[in-house]
Amino acid sequence: VSVSVDDALAVRRARHEDWPGVEALLREVDQLHAALAPAYFRTGARAEVEWRQLLGDATAAAWVTADGARATLGFLSLRIYETPHDPTMVPRRRAHLETLVVAPRVRRRGIGRRLVAAASDWAREQGAVEMVLTTWTGNAAADAFYERLGYRVLSRVLHAPL
Ligand SMILES: CC(C)(COP(=O)(O)OP(=O)(O)OC[C@H]1O[C@@H](n2cnc3c(N)ncnc32)[C@H](O)[C@@H]1OP(=O)(O)O)[C@@H](O)C(=O)NCCC(=O)NCCS
């Protein structure tokens, strides 16, 4: 029985030594966001100290997809948020998906879907009742991906030059 390459891909929690592979994936998403929203984003060196802080933060969690050759093919990070004390807001624990990126050469093979599934399972175990995230206008792949996974638009951010 032959095992396809995709069957060998496993999602697992991120570790310190994943940094070089994760850094390369973050460069991909940073370039994309700088192209989509140049007034908001620019590419710059990401610091490893932020990686250590993320992994050490009890309210955050990160996953990677690694292949047998130990290349990092996908990365997802999230944070758990409590509603601030405010009588006009419904208090609920939510997970905010902060970053999701799959290496361009292995997109459309189910890696993004598997990362979101693993993160969702974990967030549910933490008592979170929903996942919230932001996409930037013009990111057609992300729009199609999240719509396929059942995500719907909750609000819109408007802006105008002054
Ligand atoms: C968005 C992204 C994470 C999707 O990852 P992926 O591993 O390619 O997604 P999957 O293979 O799990 O896709 C699941 C389903 O989503 C939909 N989908 C994903 N990418 C799509 C695209 N480019 N166009 C249309 N539908 C798409 C499809 O229905 C797909 O199922 P199918 O391939 O069987 O048709 C990836 O395109 C990416 O890294 N983009 C750059 C970074 C980014 O935009 N991140 C998200 C915003 S922060």
Side-chain angles (χ1 to χ4, degrees):
V1 179
S2 70
V3 176
S4 81
V5 175
D6 286 8
D7 288 338
L9 298 176
V11 173
R12 60 164 172 77
R13 287 292 287 272
R15 304 192 277 254
H16 286 280
E17 61 268 28
D18 292 321
W19 173 241
V22 169
E23 187 183 20
L25 290 174
L26 290 175
R27 235 178 341 258
E28 287 286 342
V29 75
D30 288 347
Q31 278 167 9
L32 172 70
H33 283 142
L36 291 172
Y40 282 83
F41 298 111
R42 58 185 186 179
T43 56
R46 294 262 197 165
E48 190 171 356
V49 64
E50 282 175 40
W51 180 240
R52 282 200 295 273
Q53 282 166 359
L54 178 76
L55 294 183
D57 183 338
T59 68
W63 290 260
V64 295
T65 303
D67 68 9
R70 307 214 39 75
T72 310
L73 303 176
F75 170 68
L76 184 155
S77 65
L78 65 70
R79 230 169 259 278
I80 302 285
Y81 283 94
E82 308 290 342
T83 308
H85 289 288
D86 181 332
T88 68
M89 294 193 74
V90 179
R92 301 181 93 182
R93 180 174 293 175
R94 297 184 173 89
H96 285 223
L97 198 165
E98 294 197 331
T99 304
L100 170 63
V101 54
V102 173
R105 69 184 190 284
V106 290
R107 286 182 189 163
R108 299 302 293 269
R109 283 164 55 169
I111 292 175
R113 184 194 285 275
R114 280 191 250 184
L115 281 163
V116 171
S120 300
D121 287 347
W122 183 84
R124 218 175 283 118
E125 283 167 19
Q126 306 305 306
V129 295
E130 68 177 352
M131 188 83 86
V132 185
L133 61 93
T134 300
T135 62
W136 290 79
T137 301
N139 191 348
D143 288 346
F145 171 77
Y146 288 119
E147 168 137 28
R148 183 78 185 82
L149 267 60
Y151 284 71
R152 297 294 175 258
V153 177
L154 177 64
S155 71
R156 296 186 304 142
V157 176
L158 308 187
H159 71 138
L162 295 175

